[in-house]
Amino acid sequence: MISWIQHHLIRHGRWIFLSLLAIIIVAFVFTIGNTPGCTTDRSGYEENLFYGIDLNAPRDRELIIEKVQTSAYLNGQTIRSDEQFESLLLSRIALLNLAGEIGIPSPSQEVLAEFIQTKSVFQDEEGAFSPESYTSFVDNIESNPRTTQGLIILVLEEDYRIAQISSVLAGPGYVLPSEALAQSQRRRTELSLSTAEFSYSAFKPEIAEDTAELREYYEVNKLRYEIPERIQASYILFKSEDYAEQVPEASENELNEHFEANRGKFEEEYEFENPAPPASEELTDEASPPVKEAITLAMVRDSVASSYLLEQTTRLANQAAQSFAYSLYRDEIKRNSDAFESLISATGANLTAIDPYSLADSSKRSLSAELLESAFALGGNRYYSDAYAESAGYAVLIYEGRIAPEIPTFDAVQSEIAMDYKADEKRRLFNERGQAIQSALEAKLSEGSEFSEAAEALELTAKLFESFVIENPPREINRSALQQAQTMQPGEVSQMITSGGTGIFVHLIEKLVPDIAPEDEELAQAEEYLSRFSAYTSGSGYANELVFQGLPKEPIAED
């Protein structure tokens, strides 16, 4: 098996793995720093060095992003957020730098072949190396050679070095016997408890709108009503429809190519507009179902011609928008100059003003969020954006200025202040009512009342959960209430827990903690789990510290 892997992966991997990134696509747009392009004003460009890697340099950044994506795929790891991706990227750079300082070498072919078998992408459901999964992987990437040469081997070698340094940083994973015992006992502890619920939505206290109190509330919470920085901008729209006359009439070959390239879309449209008649009820089990009609170009010619024309006009609109932005860059045309006005006039398009907007407003306008958000990176000589796709064509944004953050007057936001004041007061009064209810429940229990009777007398909804083990709780029990019960002693009533718009009180009736023998199998499993968790926590802590040390330090202001 090892020799087979060596033959296919080690010796030929430099040319086999040319296409992984065409297979694995992480649905994130991860950006660190600025990305200067051909029309970008680089006068303010600064390096952003992190352990020798310039995160503002497109080539450095793109390479490390590819490595992180590739490593995540090989390890069967799903990246669920930009924050997780950033953590993986920075820790990879930091750990490789430490591995280089210590002198951890790249693995030999034999060691790398063994390391490959530990990768999740090559394993079956039981965690064993699967030749079938590996063969499928190789077959897929051989058929689509686009990835940078040697990237996969490089990532595997780096992952091996990272694994070596990580194992050293993690250590053996220390755990006390008492910790494992407490973990096992906690899972097998038997509880009996009751809960009482107090609805937040049904709680409707009388809250007066006193103007003096509203003004006081406004003064304390002014920053809540601050209007954030807003952009002043205009845009030029290059409409696709304006370029229809420039598109030659499509030939039969062009229409056919467009039809074949988009066959699925045209077939779906045709079937939607021409639904098949319902199947005959007389169709017997032995009879074959009707053959689905093949969709041909002739049947959807008008739709294909319209789609082809739109594709071509949109392409021309994109070219015109990019040419406009490039002319501003190439000729160093200033805003509000005669040359700017002449260029606008030559395009035949209009400069349309955009109502001032904040970053949060970008996704709420009719223009694309990408176009509007681009303005926040503009200023100085670079007052124009790149070309961005819009529903009617392509647009270029013209930056006009910024409106500084401001706090509106009391009168301008009085209605909003009143709503916020009432909401905050309701929460305060709800919590006060919760404290009073807890005291009332404790008093009634001390008088000999049952918890359910006491709860009902206070117009609460009571529930009883008899004798269950913590590791297998009733489905109906609130998880916050269960967690609270584990810290209580029998007879106690908890403070009000707010969960999902409901105030919950917990009354612990009985708590039985089991005795666990030293040879208990679950105790051994708990020790192993806590040991691995301790090692993971230790290693992660060291990695985070390395990341922190590598980040650029803010200059200390002098007095």
Side-chain angles (χ1 to χ4, degrees):
M1 181 62 67
I2 296 298
S3 61
W4 180 75
I5 295 173
Q6 287 176 321
H7 176 72
H8 281 81
L9 183 60
I10 306 300
R11 296 178 183 174
H12 300 289
R14 302 288 178 178
W15 62 269
I16 287 179
F17 293 112
L18 297 176
S19 63
L20 183 63
L21 293 185
I23 303 169
I24 55 171
I25 300 175
V26 177
F28 296 114
V29 177
F30 178 75
T31 305
I32 304 177
N34 299 319
T35 307
C38 67
T39 61
T40 301
D41 177 12
R42 294 189 56 128
S43 58
Y45 177 79
E46 294 182 2
E47 283 188 330
N48 182 14
L49 291 177
F50 181 73
Y51 288 113
I53 304 295
D54 183 5
L55 299 180
N56 279 352
R59 289 185 179 179
D60 288 356
R61 186 176 63 252
E62 289 169 6
L63 178 59
I64 187 62
I65 287 175
E66 288 181 355
K67 289 180 178 180
V68 171
Q69 292 175 338
T70 303
S71 178
Y73 176 76
L74 292 172
N75 288 293
Q77 186 174 15
T78 301
I79 302 177
R80 303 186 183 278
S81 68
D82 287 353
E83 290 74 16
Q84 181 189 6
F85 192 93
E86 181 179 357
S87 176
L88 290 172
L89 185 147
L90 295 178
S91 62
R92 184 179 190 85
I93 297 173
L95 290 172
L96 283 172
N97 180 77
L98 180 60
E101 290 181 350
I102 294 177
I104 295 179
S106 297
S108 64
Q109 290 188 358
E110 291 75 15
V111 171
L112 184 58
E114 293 179 5
F115 180 68
I116 287 166
Q117 297 184 64
T118 67
K119 293 300 177 180
S120 297
V121 73
F122 302 134
Q123 293 178 344
D124 57 23
E125 295 180 355
E126 298 180 356
F129 178 75
S130 169
E132 292 79 12
S133 298
Y134 174 80
T135 302
S136 175
F137 175 83
V138 172
D139 289 345
N140 283 333
I141 61 178
E142 279 185 323
S143 64
N144 193 0
R146 293 183 182 176
T147 303
T148 306
Q149 184 176 7
L151 175 64
I152 311 305
I153 296 298
L154 178 60
V155 169
L156 287 167
E157 290 175 346
E158 289 184 351
D159 279 2
Y160 172 83
R161 298 175 68 214
I162 289 173
Q164 298 305 302
I165 194 66
S166 296
S167 66
V168 174
L169 295 177
Y174 295 103
V175 58
L176 296 174
S178 59
E179 293 176 319
L181 178 61
Q183 171 89 344
S184 299
Q185 287 180 323
R186 188 180 302 113
R187 288 173 54 85
R188 289 153 68 172
T189 293
E190 188 175 326
L191 300 178
S192 292
L193 60 88
S194 292
T195 62
E197 297 183 354
F198 176 35
S199 172
Y200 183 78
S201 60
F203 179 66
K204 300 183 182 299
E206 292 290 333
I207 303 174
E209 290 187 29
D210 182 77
T211 303
E213 290 185 357
L214 291 181
R215 286 189 177 276
E216 181 180 352
Y217 180 85
Y218 166 75
E219 292 298 329
V220 173
N221 298 279
K222 271 186 176 181
L223 291 179
R224 180 186 295 187
Y225 306 101
E226 181 182 67
I227 301 173
E229 177 188 63
R230 288 167 290 165
I231 291 291
Q232 293 175 307
S234 304
Y235 73 98
I236 303 167
L237 178 62
F238 297 82
K239 297 181 179 180
S240 298
E241 64 184 26
D242 292 342
Y243 299 90
E245 295 182 358
Q246 298 182 28
V247 179
E249 183 176 354
S251 67
E252 191 70 14
N253 285 340
E254 289 172 330
L255 289 178
N256 191 60
E257 288 179 2
H258 187 70
F259 169 68
E260 292 296 339
N262 302 276
R263 174 182 284 274
K265 182 187 74 169
F266 295 122
E267 288 181 345
E268 184 177 345
E269 291 176 357
Y270 181 85
E271 291 171 357
F272 177 79
E273 296 173 358
N274 303 274
S280 173
E281 296 181 358
E282 300 178 357
L283 188 66
T284 63
D285 294 338
E286 293 78 13
S288 301
V291 178
K292 184 177 178 180
E293 183 182 17
I295 309 300
T296 64
L297 172 60
M299 299 165 68
V300 291
R301 178 178 292 276
D302 291 343
S303 179
V304 172
S306 297
S307 175
Y308 176 81
L309 178 62
L310 178 60
E311 181 182 272
Q312 298 305 308
T313 56
T314 301
R315 177 179 59 81
L316 292 174
N318 184 17
Q319 290 177 354
Q322 292 191 48
S323 177
F324 173 78
Y326 182 69
S327 295
L328 293 175
Y329 163 75
R330 180 195 59 205
D331 300 334
E332 299 182 355
I333 296 176
K334 303 298 182 182
R335 178 69 178 97
N336 298 324
S337 65
D338 291 340
F340 179 83
E341 297 298 332
S342 296
L343 186 60
I344 292 285
S345 178
T347 64
N350 296 318
L351 189 63
T352 305
I354 305 172
D355 291 336
Y357 63 92
S358 66
L359 184 60
D361 295 333
S362 299
S363 59
K364 304 173 184 177
R365 301 295 183 90
S366 58
L367 293 170
S368 69
E370 292 80 6
L371 175 73
L372 297 177
E373 290 172 2
S374 70
F376 289 88
L378 301 178
N381 294 332
R382 181 64 193 270
Y383 61 88
Y384 47 89
S385 73
D386 294 328
Y388 287 90
E390 299 293 333
S391 58
Y394 275 79
V396 174
L397 182 140
I398 304 298
Y399 171 82
E400 309 286 3
R402 298 171 189 257
I403 301 175
E406 60 179 309
I407 297 177
T409 63
F410 171 81
D411 293 334
V413 290
Q414 184 172 354
S415 60
E416 186 179 350
I417 293 170
M419 292 177 59
D420 292 342
Y421 173 77
K422 286 184 176 181
D424 285 354
E425 275 295 287
K426 180 178 179 178
R427 280 190 289 270
R428 183 182 67 80
L429 294 173
F430 184 74
N431 289 327
E432 285 186 358
R433 177 64 178 152
Q435 294 174 1
I437 289 174
Q438 181 192 6
S439 298
L441 288 171
E442 290 174 336
K444 288 182 178 295
L445 289 176
S446 65
E447 294 170 358
S449 298
E450 293 291 332
F451 183 79
S452 59
E453 294 176 358
E456 291 173 2
L458 295 169
E459 299 182 343
L460 306 177
T461 302
K463 296 179 181 179
L464 174 63
F465 300 95
E466 292 185 295
S467 189
F468 64 90
V469 178
I470 288 177
E471 67 178 352
N472 188 27
R475 294 180 59 184
E476 300 80 10
I477 194 169
N478 181 277
R479 290 302 181 263
S480 297
L482 177 60
Q483 185 175 7
Q484 178 67 39
Q486 296 177 48
T487 66
M488 298 170 59
Q489 296 302 318
E492 290 182 340
V493 176
S494 73
Q495 295 181 341
M496 183 176 68
I497 307 164
T498 303
S499 175
T502 302
I504 303 174
F505 302 89
V506 181
H507 171 55
L508 185 61
I509 300 170
E510 188 176 38
K511 184 177 187 179
L512 300 176
V513 181
D515 292 327
I516 297 180
E519 64 274 9
D520 189 281
E521 182 179 349
E522 187 173 318
L523 180 61
Q525 292 175 351
E527 289 179 348
E528 182 183 357
Y529 168 78
L530 291 175
S531 177
R532 284 189 280 108
F533 181 77
S534 174
Y536 170 79
T537 303
S538 176
S540 296
Y542 279 119
N544 291 336
E545 180 64 22
L546 287 171
V547 169
F548 177 76
Q549 291 179 359
L551 293 174
K553 302 299 185 290
E554 293 291 337
I556 300 176
E558 297 181 0
D559 296 334

